[in-house]
Amino acid sequence: MYGAAGPPARSASAPVVRSLRRPPPPATGVSFMNNQKQQKPTLSGQRFKTRKRDEKERFDPTQFQDCIIQGLTETGTDLEAVAKFLDASGAKLDYRRYAETLFDILVAGGMLAPGGTLADDMMRTDVCVFAAQEDLETMQAFAQVFNKLIRRYKYLEKGFEDEVKKLLLFLKGFSESERNKLAMLTGVLLANGTLNASILNSLYNENLVKEGVSAAFAVKLFKSWINEKDINAVAASLRKVSMDNRLMELFPANKQSVEHFTKYFTEAGLKELSEYVRNQQTIGARKELQKELQEQMSRGDPFKDIILYVKEEMKKNNIPEPVVIGIVWSSVMSTVEWNKKEELVAEQAIKHLKQYSPLLAAFTTQGQSELTLLLKIQEYCYDNIHFMKAFQKIVVLFYKAEVLSEEPILKWYKDAHVAKGKSVFLEQMKKFVEWLKNAEEESESEAEEESPTFSWTYDCSKNI
C-alpha cells in the first residue's frame, strides 16, 4: 500500500493515535451493550435484624425476685452475709432494671402491689425489714445493708430514693409495727446521708395527714434521726430542701398551730423538735413584723397606730420586748438613705432618731430591752464605718429622750458590751459614764436635790 519504502515517517509533532478497539466481552452469552451496567447480586430469603438496639428483653421481675429470695433464704438472718450476697449478686443480676423489685423484697419481703400489699401468689422471704425485730438497733443494722449496697452500686441511689417515696405513700397499707420499723430505718438513713430530706414530701399526702398517719410516722422518724445526730443537724438538712417551715403541715389545716404541734411532739418525747418549730415560727413572724413596720414607716403612719400594731403582734406571736426593740431599731435605720460623709451623717442620724424616739421608747420598758438596744446601736455603728463617731451622740440623745436609762448604760459600759469597736466606743462614753456615776452618787446622798447636768452638757449634748 505504501510501496517499498514502507509507511511514511511520523513527524515529531504528530499525536499518538491509540487503537479504539475494545477487548472482546467475556463469553457470557450477554451482549456487550446490555452488560455495560452490571446488576448487583441479590440474596433471596428472610432478612434477620441483628442490631442490639433492635433486641428487646422481656421485663420479668418474677424470675429476678425468685433469685433474690432464694439467695436470702440461704443466707438466713445474718445481715453481714446478706450484704455479701447482695454485693456478689449485682454482678450476675440486673439491679439497674429491677431496682424497685430488689428494694421491695428487702423492705417488705416480696414485690408490693399498688397500695402496699404483698401479692398472694408471689414468693416471700422473712429476711426483710418488716419481718425483723421492732427496735432501733436492728434498723441500724439494716441501714448498713442498704448503705453497703448503694455504695457498691451507685446507680441504685435514685431508685432507692424513689422506692422510699413510694413506701411512704403506701403507709396506710402497712401495719403499725411495719410503719414503725420503716420510720426508724428512714430516720437512720436520713442521718447518715443515704437519703435526702426531700423524701419527706410524701408525708404531706392529704389522706395520710387527715388520718394522723403522717404525724405518728414522723414521731418515730425524728426520734431515730435525732438519736443518730442532733436537732441542729436535722434542722440543717431540713433547711437545705426548704422544709424547715413546713413541719406543721403534718397535721390537718385546722390543727396547724404552734400550740398543737408543740403539745403533740413534746408529749411524744420530742421537746427539742417542738422548740425548733416554735423558734422557726417566731422567726417567720419577726420577718413579717419588720416588713410591715418598714411599710408603715414609709407611709408615714402615726406612731400610735404603729405601736398598737406591734403590741398586737407581740401578743399573738409571743415575741418578747427585747426582740421587738431590735426589730424596731433595724426598721427605723433602714428607712433613710444615709449620707456618705462622716461629718454629716451624725447630724442626719440625730435628727432622724430624735423624730423616732417616741416609737423606740414604747418598747424599752424593760432593762433587758434597753441593753439590747445599746448592743444594736454598737453593732450598727461598728458595721457602718461612717457612724463610728456618732455612737456617743446617739446614746446621749436616747438618754435625754428617756429611751435609755442610767443602769443599762452603766452595765453596758462595765461588762455587757460586745467586742465590736469596744475600745473606740468605751472611750467615747467615758466622760458621760463618769457623769452618770457622779449623778447617781449625789442623788443617793442628796435625794432632795436635783441631779447636776453641767459636767456633761459641753462634752455630750452641745452637738445634739
Side-chain angles (χ1 to χ4, degrees):
M1 178 178 177
Y2 296 110
R10 181 170 61 86
S11 65
S13 61
V16 177
V17 179
R18 301 185 183 278
S19 173
L20 297 176
R21 191 173 66 179
R22 297 178 183 274
T28 59
V30 181
S31 67
F32 172 73
M33 293 300 292
N34 291 337
N35 197 46
Q36 282 185 340
K37 197 170 187 179
Q38 295 184 9
Q39 295 180 350
K40 294 181 179 180
T42 59
L43 295 173
S44 59
Q46 185 177 359
R47 183 182 180 187
F48 294 93
K49 294 181 179 180
T50 58
R51 293 181 180 178
K52 190 172 182 180
R53 66 171 178 263
D54 292 331
E55 298 175 1
K56 290 187 177 179
E57 182 185 347
R58 188 168 66 90
F59 182 71
D60 185 15
T62 304
Q63 185 177 356
F64 176 86
Q65 177 185 242
D66 293 347
C67 292
I68 293 294
I69 289 180
Q70 182 180 348
L72 291 175
T73 302
E74 292 173 359
T75 60
T77 57
D78 181 358
L79 294 184
E80 284 290 336
V82 169
K84 290 178 181 178
F85 160 71
L86 293 172
D87 185 285
S89 297
K92 307 170 188 175
L93 302 176
D94 193 351
Y95 279 178
R96 190 186 299 272
R97 186 176 180 82
Y98 299 107
E100 183 178 4
T101 303
L102 173 63
F103 292 128
D104 274 0
I105 295 168
L106 293 176
V107 173
M111 283 193 294
L112 291 169
T117 57
L118 283 170
D120 293 331
D121 57 343
M122 294 289 185
M123 288 182 66
R124 301 184 186 183
T125 177
D126 289 333
V127 185
C128 63
V129 172
F130 283 178
Q133 288 184 322
E134 186 183 328
D135 59 69
L136 184 57
E137 186 178 352
T138 303
M139 292 305 105
Q140 288 169 334
F142 265 100
Q144 285 301 311
V145 173
F146 287 104
N147 287 339
K148 290 176 182 177
L149 179 61
I150 292 170
R151 281 202 303 266
R152 178 69 176 84
Y153 301 101
K154 288 291 288 183
Y155 58 79
L156 288 175
E157 203 169 57
K158 180 65 168 60
F160 184 55
E161 186 174 302
D162 292 339
E163 172 75 10
V164 175
K165 290 178 181 178
K166 180 193 77 174
L167 291 171
L168 296 187
L169 292 175
F170 286 173
L171 286 179
K172 287 174 62 179
F174 305 145
S175 68
E176 183 180 355
S177 177
E178 290 170 344
R179 288 199 293 265
N180 290 342
K181 295 169 191 174
L182 181 59
M184 287 187 282
L185 174 68
T186 305
V188 175
L189 293 170
L190 284 166
N192 63 33
T194 303
L195 288 174
N196 186 284
S198 60
I199 57 103
L200 298 180
N201 277 303
S202 296
L203 291 179
Y204 298 134
N205 175 272
E206 184 178 356
N207 291 327
L208 296 176
V209 170
K210 184 178 179 181
E211 297 189 24
V213 175
S214 293
F217 185 88
V219 167
K220 291 287 185 180
L221 182 150
F222 279 108
K223 275 188 175 181
S224 64
W225 192 355
I226 293 172
N227 180 74
E228 296 290 310
K229 293 289 188 177
D230 57 36
I231 189 61
N232 295 323
V234 171
S237 297
L238 293 172
R239 277 195 298 271
K240 285 181 181 178
V241 294
S242 302
M243 293 188 67
D244 49 325
N245 291 316
R246 294 191 61 195
L247 292 180
M248 281 197 291
E249 295 176 36
L250 293 167
F251 297 98
N254 62 341
K255 295 182 178 179
Q256 288 180 15
S257 66
V258 178
E259 289 71 24
H260 180 78
F261 186 98
T262 301
K263 184 175 185 295
Y264 185 91
F265 280 92
T266 299
E267 289 177 354
L270 284 165
K271 185 178 180 181
E272 57 268 70
L273 184 66
S274 300
E275 292 175 349
Y276 167 72
V277 169
R278 184 179 289 279
N279 289 336
Q280 287 298 110
Q281 189 71 9
T282 302
I283 290 170
R286 292 172 189 176
K287 290 180 179 177
E288 286 298 315
L289 173 59
Q290 182 159 352
K291 181 181 176 183
E292 179 60 27
L293 260 179
Q294 291 172 351
E295 291 178 1
Q296 290 178 349
M297 291 177 188
S298 64
R299 291 195 304 263
D301 290 3
F303 285 165
K304 64 177 183 178
D305 294 344
I306 297 177
I307 292 169
L308 180 61
Y309 163 75
V310 174
K311 288 187 174 181
E312 287 176 350
E313 290 297 305
M314 287 173 64
K315 184 177 180 181
K316 182 171 72 175
N317 296 295
N318 196 29
I319 307 176
E321 188 183 81
V323 173
V324 169
I325 191 60
I327 295 172
V328 175
W329 164 261
S330 298
S331 300
V332 167
M333 298 305 282
S334 67
T335 59
V336 179
E337 186 73 30
W338 295 109
N339 200 301
K340 299 299 182 184
K341 295 183 179 180
E342 187 176 6
E343 62 272 16
L344 298 177
V345 76
E347 183 179 348
Q348 182 188 11
I350 295 303
K351 183 178 179 181
H352 177 69
L353 292 172
K354 191 172 185 178
Q355 176 188 351
Y356 278 93
S357 58
L359 178 61
L360 290 157
F363 302 102
T364 52
T365 63
Q366 304 170 13
Q368 187 59 46
S369 303
E370 294 182 51
L371 190 56
T372 299
L373 179 57
L374 276 164
L375 294 172
K376 291 290 182 182
I377 299 169
Q378 180 184 353
E379 290 174 354
Y380 188 90
C381 290
Y382 178 82
D383 293 337
N384 298 272
I385 190 67
H386 299 302
F387 280 80
M388 286 292 286
K389 294 182 179 179
F391 178 78
Q392 175 216 49
K393 295 177 182 179
I394 294 172
V395 174
V396 172
L397 166 69
F398 284 165
Y399 177 77
K400 293 180 68 179
E402 298 185 348
V403 177
L404 296 172
S405 55
E406 297 174 15
E407 188 176 343
I409 295 174
L410 293 174
K411 181 170 180 55
W412 171 87
Y413 186 84
K414 182 180 179 182
D415 56 22
H417 50 262
V418 293
K420 293 182 175 181
K422 168 184 170 181
S423 58
V424 174
F425 299 137
L426 290 180
E427 181 61 31
Q428 283 185 31
M429 292 294 294
K430 186 176 181 180
K431 291 184 179 179
F432 180 60
V433 167
E434 287 176 357
W435 176 84
L436 285 178
K437 289 179 179 178
N438 293 333
E440 188 178 14
E441 290 171 1
E442 291 181 13
S443 178
E444 289 174 357
S445 61
E446 301 175 18
E448 70 282 359
E449 296 183 12
E450 294 183 2
S451 300
T453 58
F454 66 93
S455 61
W456 63 272
T457 303
Y458 174 81
D459 292 324
C460 303
S461 64
K462 73 173 186 176
N463 293 324
I464 295 177

mmCIF file of all heavy atoms in Angstrom, residues 72 81 130 170 303 328 376 399:
data_model
loop_
_atom_site.group_PDB
_atom_site.id
_atom_site.type_symbol
_atom_site.label_atom_id
_atom_site.label_comp_id
_atom_site.label_asym_id
_atom_site.label_seq_id
_atom_site.Cartn_x
_atom_site.Cartn_y
_atom_site.Cartn_z
ATOM 1 N N LEU A 72 -31.507 -15.031 99.664
ATOM 2 C CA LEU A 72 -31.714 -14.532 101.027
ATOM 3 C C LEU A 72 -32.078 -15.674 101.972
ATOM 4 O O LEU A 72 -31.654 -15.689 103.136
ATOM 5 C CB LEU A 72 -32.809 -13.460 101.029
ATOM 6 C CG LEU A 72 -32.477 -12.129 100.349
ATOM 7 C CD1 LEU A 72 -33.689 -11.213 100.326
ATOM 8 C CD2 LEU A 72 -31.308 -11.427 101.052
ATOM 9 N N ALA A 81 -23.896 -11.534 106.114
ATOM 10 C CA ALA A 81 -23.972 -12.476 104.990
ATOM 11 C C ALA A 81 -24.924 -11.964 103.916
ATOM 12 O O ALA A 81 -24.679 -12.136 102.714
ATOM 13 C CB ALA A 81 -24.426 -13.849 105.494
ATOM 14 N N PHE A 130 -39.580 -5.578 107.373
ATOM 15 C CA PHE A 130 -40.894 -5.748 108.000
ATOM 16 C C PHE A 130 -40.980 -7.000 108.873
ATOM 17 O O PHE A 130 -41.807 -7.067 109.786
ATOM 18 C CB PHE A 130 -41.988 -5.804 106.926
ATOM 19 C CG PHE A 130 -42.342 -4.448 106.358
ATOM 20 C CD1 PHE A 130 -43.291 -4.330 105.338
ATOM 21 C CD2 PHE A 130 -41.732 -3.295 106.819
ATOM 22 C CE1 PHE A 130 -43.622 -3.092 104.817
ATOM 23 C CE2 PHE A 130 -42.052 -2.041 106.293
ATOM 24 C CZ PHE A 130 -42.999 -1.949 105.281
ATOM 25 N N PHE A 170 -47.525 4.451 100.636
ATOM 26 C CA PHE A 170 -48.225 3.194 100.919
ATOM 27 C C PHE A 170 -48.438 2.956 102.411
ATOM 28 O O PHE A 170 -48.889 1.876 102.805
ATOM 29 C CB PHE A 170 -47.415 2.006 100.365
ATOM 30 C CG PHE A 170 -47.466 1.874 98.864
ATOM 31 C CD1 PHE A 170 -46.666 0.932 98.225
ATOM 32 C CD2 PHE A 170 -48.292 2.677 98.089
ATOM 33 C CE1 PHE A 170 -46.688 0.793 96.842
ATOM 34 C CE2 PHE A 170 -48.314 2.554 96.704
ATOM 35 C CZ PHE A 170 -47.516 1.606 96.080
ATOM 36 N N PHE A 303 -47.492 57.201 114.931
ATOM 37 C CA PHE A 303 -46.793 56.307 115.856
ATOM 38 C C PHE A 303 -47.763 55.498 116.705
ATOM 39 O O PHE A 303 -47.501 54.336 117.028
ATOM 40 C CB PHE A 303 -45.849 57.107 116.759
ATOM 41 C CG PHE A 303 -44.599 57.576 116.052
ATOM 42 C CD1 PHE A 303 -43.799 58.559 116.617
ATOM 43 C CD2 PHE A 303 -44.211 57.040 114.838
ATOM 44 C CE1 PHE A 303 -42.646 59.000 115.983
ATOM 45 C CE2 PHE A 303 -43.075 57.460 114.189
ATOM 46 C CZ PHE A 303 -42.284 58.450 114.763
ATOM 47 N N VAL A 328 -37.507 47.042 115.756
ATOM 48 C CA VAL A 328 -37.875 48.458 115.583
ATOM 49 C C VAL A 328 -36.642 49.274 115.205
ATOM 50 O O VAL A 328 -36.684 50.119 114.292
ATOM 51 C CB VAL A 328 -38.531 49.009 116.866
ATOM 52 C CG1 VAL A 328 -38.797 50.512 116.728
ATOM 53 C CG2 VAL A 328 -39.839 48.273 117.170
ATOM 54 N N LYS A 376 -27.431 46.839 119.897
ATOM 55 C CA LYS A 376 -27.783 47.034 118.485
ATOM 56 C C LYS A 376 -27.149 48.310 117.937
ATOM 57 O O LYS A 376 -26.665 48.345 116.797
ATOM 58 C CB LYS A 376 -29.305 47.103 118.332
ATOM 59 C CG LYS A 376 -30.024 45.790 118.583
ATOM 60 C CD LYS A 376 -29.745 44.789 117.483
ATOM 61 C CE LYS A 376 -30.500 43.496 117.700
ATOM 62 N NZ LYS A 376 -30.187 42.485 116.646
ATOM 63 N N TYR A 399 -30.864 58.927 126.010
ATOM 64 C CA TYR A 399 -30.942 59.152 127.448
ATOM 65 C C TYR A 399 -31.835 60.354 127.742
ATOM 66 O O TYR A 399 -32.708 60.297 128.618
ATOM 67 C CB TYR A 399 -29.541 59.361 128.029
ATOM 68 C CG TYR A 399 -29.549 59.662 129.510
ATOM 69 C CD1 TYR A 399 -29.744 58.657 130.440
ATOM 70 C CD2 TYR A 399 -29.376 60.979 129.970
ATOM 71 C CE1 TYR A 399 -29.768 58.940 131.808
ATOM 72 C CE2 TYR A 399 -29.383 61.266 131.318
ATOM 73 C CZ TYR A 399 -29.587 60.248 132.245
ATOM 74 O OH TYR A 399 -29.607 60.538 133.580
#
